[in-house]
Amino acid sequence: MLTVLVFAPAAVALVLLALPRTVPDAVHRTAWTVTSALLLAFTAALWAAHGTGGGYAYETRVRWMPSAGVGYHVGVDGLSLPLTVLTCVLFLACALYSWRERRRVRAHAALFLLLQTTCLGVFVSLDLILFFVFFDLSIVAMYFVIAGWGRDQAARAALTFFLYTFLGSLALLLGFIGLYLAASPHTFDMTDLTRADPLAGRPVAAGLVLLALGTGLAVKTPTVPFHTWLPLAHTQAPAAGSAILAGVLLKMGTYGFLRIAMPMLPEAWRRYALVVVVLGVVSVLYGALVALAQTDLKRMIAYTSVTHMGYIVLALGAAATAPGDEDARTLAVSGAVTQMVSHGLLTGALFLLAGALHERGRTYDLAAYSGVAARAPVLAAATAVAFFASLGLPGFSGFVAEFQIFTGSLGPRPVATCLSVLGILLTAALLLRAYQQVFLGPLRLPPAPGSPRAFPDLRRREAAAVLPLLALATLLGLAPRPLLDTVEPASGLVLEWLAR
């Protein structure tokens, strides 16, 4: 069942590439959109049928390279299922938004479908080598998205993104090999490695393996100081590419911490939990302060992603430092997963809205705009909702996630948590200042081709892409229980492994 889910987008992509070049672009756009919609419906059905158990469901386990301890093993639980649904939601939003794309439409649709296969593959993989294959292929696919449809410095941004993240994936592979060699019998299967705890009682080896895993996953997250590839990649990528990069690909790093580092290296994670907490706090404050200094809208949104991912890292570190308070630890881990989902929805909407603004004004420079709400009230209203939701206003998913994270982290790490709360204030300041500058005040628009009055409001397909993301963020803020009922049992299992 999951195999069909993962490889269906790639199969459709191959069909599109095999069609004659004379086929109209609308066929490729329609095929991409319909495929994404069907996959979303399929994952929603899987979630509805999954229930609230903490174990894996829909497992498939097939011998692949048995002599090397590698198997084709896929499955989902309460940690991976929400991220799988999030992936399908964002790819459908990007498919709708990309009806505006006019350059190499067939290749564009096929590449995003291939990218969707790699993203889904990461979240359902239960074998380290299978995880690594999908993880690396997602880097390749995103490289071509940035290089092929990016802005003026797209080639440089794509190369920087590829080199940084590929180097991180090599560190990740070294960690996987360390786990494989420590296991007896040797295996790359995640479930077997979690049960075996192969590096228990070997602090030096466990520390080195955690360093390799942590470096590779921190680059992907991205955590300071491994974040430097992110602003350039986001600034130069097309809007749909930025939405997937921030909404889905960054989650592969934090998901890897939850799925691999914490349960497979519990002793080492507890030993170095303070380091993880410090990196999380630094990411929160650094990302917010640098975002406050930005004059480019996309760079500002990119740096806020560093802040929001820092909250997740803080929570995962704090979860290992309160062994006597199970409720706090569960809150921290559940909040981290909720933040992944919330950030995916909101940052995806923000990048698509930024792309809509750029299409009209041909620039991301905040100083070039003023009073846009007078010409585009729906665009202004949608951006206001996205901004307020991103700063953690009650009634939105961000508030639920951050409340859980801070409540779960305050007891074990009060100083770190209080410092991280400053990130909310800084984020509020920078987002509200940007909104006031662009949408309020006297009307001022950048020079654009055509009539100076040609500044249309949000179009139907743009609204169809963005508004459901904001609606879901609102729904999760008002009624988070269905998500939490799925996440909390799986979070409890992670904590059980971590407490060994």
Side-chain angles (χ1 to χ4, degrees), residues 62-72 127 129-130 133 180 186 188:
V62 179
R63 290 161 59 89
W64 184 17
M65 292 181 281
S67 60
V70 180
Y72 176 81
D127 183 275
I129 296 302
L130 189 64
V133 169
Y180 169 82
H186 296 325
F188 285 104

Side-chain angles (χ1 to χ4, degrees), residues 98-457:
S98 296
W99 274 76
R100 52 186 280 182
E101 184 60 59
R102 296 292 181 266
R103 299 172 295 168
R104 304 184 300 281
V105 173
R106 178 176 66 164
H108 186 260
L111 191 56
F112 268 87
L113 286 166
L114 289 170
L115 180 58
Q116 186 169 6
T117 283
T118 65
C119 294
L120 291 171
V122 166
F123 295 129
V124 305
S125 293
L126 293 178
D127 183 275
L128 292 178
I129 296 302
L130 189 64
F131 179 97
F132 178 78
V133 169
F134 285 121
F135 191 91
D136 257 16
L137 289 178
S138 70
I139 298 172
V140 175
M142 184 53 70
Y143 166 83
F144 284 109
V145 168
I146 298 172
W149 288 269
R151 296 171 62 201
D152 300 336
Q153 301 181 47
R156 174 170 167 252
L159 182 61
T160 302
F161 162 77
F162 184 86
L163 291 178
Y164 265 80
T165 52
F166 186 68
L167 183 62
S169 73
L170 293 180
L172 195 63
L173 181 61
L174 289 177
F176 290 170
I177 293 173
L179 288 169
Y180 169 82
L181 294 175
S184 181
H186 296 325
T187 182
F188 285 104
D189 189 84
M190 293 186 187
T191 56
D192 293 343
L193 288 169
T194 299
R195 284 192 295 266
D197 190 7
L199 288 167
R202 300 160 64 180
V204 175
L208 291 174
V209 171
L210 181 60
L211 177 63
L213 294 177
T215 301
L217 296 172
V219 170
K220 195 77 165 185
T221 296
T223 302
V224 176
F226 304 103
H227 69 289
T228 52
W229 60 268
L230 182 71
L232 181 62
H234 273 308
T235 303
Q236 300 301 318
S242 292
I244 296 301
L245 178 58
V248 180
L249 267 65
L250 301 192
K251 309 306 176 293
M252 295 178 183
T254 48
Y255 174 75
F257 284 125
L258 265 175
R259 176 64 72 213
I260 300 169
M262 293 176 69
M264 296 183 194
L265 296 166
E267 289 182 8
W269 188 265
R270 293 195 302 269
R271 185 176 300 112
Y272 297 104
L274 179 59
V275 176
V276 177
V277 169
V278 170
L279 289 175
V281 174
V282 170
S283 296
V284 168
L285 297 179
Y286 177 88
L289 288 170
V290 177
L292 192 61
Q294 299 306 307
T295 59
D296 182 285
L297 179 59
K298 284 191 80 176
R299 287 180 70 88
M300 185 195 76
I301 298 171
Y303 277 111
T304 62
S305 291
V306 176
T307 293
H308 287 106
M309 301 307 286
Y311 292 138
I312 300 173
V313 176
L314 165 68
L316 298 183
T321 56
D325 191 345
E326 294 303 316
D327 290 339
R329 299 169 74 222
T330 302
L331 270 176
V333 176
S334 298
V337 179
T338 306
Q339 178 74 335
M340 292 185 214
V341 176
S342 172
H343 178 261
L345 294 171
L346 294 174
T347 197
L350 282 172
F351 277 117
L352 295 182
L353 289 167
L357 185 68
H358 181 272
E359 184 194 20
R360 290 151 175 79
R362 299 292 187 265
T363 180
Y364 290 110
D365 184 10
L366 294 170
Y369 299 94
S370 179
V372 170
R375 289 285 178 85
V378 178
L379 175 61
T383 305
V385 172
F387 276 10
F388 281 113
S390 295
L391 60 85
L393 196 72
F396 297 102
S397 56
F399 173 78
V400 176
E402 291 168 12
F403 178 81
Q404 288 182 297
I405 289 172
F406 293 141
T407 303
S409 305
L410 185 60
R413 296 296 178 186
V415 176
T417 305
C418 291
L419 288 174
S420 295
V421 170
L422 294 176
I424 297 179
L425 298 177
L426 293 171
T427 302
L430 68 94
L431 290 177
L432 292 178
R433 187 186 67 174
Y435 188 84
Q436 183 177 21
Q437 184 173 358
V438 173
F439 292 97
L440 304 181
L443 178 64
R444 184 178 69 252
L445 301 176
S451 167
R453 298 178 63 85
F455 198 94
D457 206 348

